[in-house]
Amino acid sequence: IGGLALGAIGWVLRHKNRSYALALQGGSMGIIYLTTFSAFRLYELIPAPAAFALFVALGILCALLALINDARILAFLAIVGAFLAPLLASDGGGSHVTLFSYYAIVNAAILAIAWFKAWRSLNLVGFFFTLGAGATWGLEYYEPALFNTIEPFLILFFLFYLAAAVLFAYRQQN
């Protein structure tokens, strides 16, 4: 309830005191992320799929707030939250195809934001999270038999970040 109240106050104040309003909105997202995580992991009040769905919904809401408020910091929070969602809501099971499909959706969201905003730092955060997640998974779980299921994701992620770089360069020209 406190997180929702902070978000509502931040929304109301967004035109009067931008910095303060963004801090309230970002703080509200953080509080709701932590509350969801605690309800799932510490107290086992909600199951993993519900926690994951809440994390995804919060990421989408935060990304929309970032675009509406023209606030890179909120977009950063949204992307970090989106990349951490599968880790925070993991119960130990799941397939690599599902994980990388989810990360493909997150990267598509980054590309969509890059269509509207020339926020290079957001592209870099997405790139390094994708690289880190892929490398961590690869070091722990990769075996040659999985090559056919991994290669399309590698190509897709390469194309996402190539397109993001081209969009950034295009935005800088105009």
Side-chain angles (χ1 to χ4, degrees):
I1 293 173
L4 293 174
L6 278 180
I9 293 168
W11 181 258
V12 170
L13 295 176
R14 74 186 185 282
H15 297 298
K16 293 179 184 173
N17 190 341
R18 177 177 162 75
S19 297
Y20 183 61
L22 291 176
L24 289 177
Q25 289 176 26
S28 73
M29 292 290 113
I31 288 170
I32 298 170
Y33 267 110
L34 289 173
T35 302
T36 303
F37 177 74
S38 296
F40 165 64
R41 181 76 65 199
L42 300 178
Y43 300 107
E44 299 176 357
L45 295 173
I46 56 176
F52 181 72
L54 283 170
F55 287 136
V56 170
L58 288 169
I60 292 169
L61 175 62
C62 197
L64 290 173
L65 285 172
L67 289 172
I68 291 168
N69 289 307
D70 193 27
R72 187 181 317 202
I73 190 67
L74 288 179
F76 176 82
L77 179 64
I79 296 304
V80 169
F83 274 104
L84 293 178
L87 304 174
L88 295 174
S90 175
D91 59 2
S95 78
H96 66 283
V97 174
T98 303
L99 176 67
F100 291 126
S101 295
Y102 171 75
Y103 283 151
I105 293 168
V106 173
N107 282 303
I110 292 170
L111 188 60
I113 291 172
W115 184 265
F116 296 103
K117 303 289 181 184
W119 291 341
R120 176 176 255 171
S121 58
L122 190 65
N123 299 341
L124 290 172
V125 167
F127 172 78
F128 284 115
F129 263 103
T130 301
L131 180 65
T136 301
W137 179 88
L139 288 171
E140 191 153 335
Y141 300 108
Y142 180 76
E143 53 190 60
L146 299 174
F147 179 79
N148 290 337
T149 60
I150 294 301
E151 185 69 13
F153 289 110
L154 292 174
I155 293 168
L156 180 63
F157 294 148
F158 172 78
L159 292 174
F160 275 141
Y161 286 101
L162 177 64
V166 169
L167 275 172
F168 180 77
Y170 176 75
R171 293 259 177 241
Q172 293 301 98
Q173 267 185 344
N174 294 332

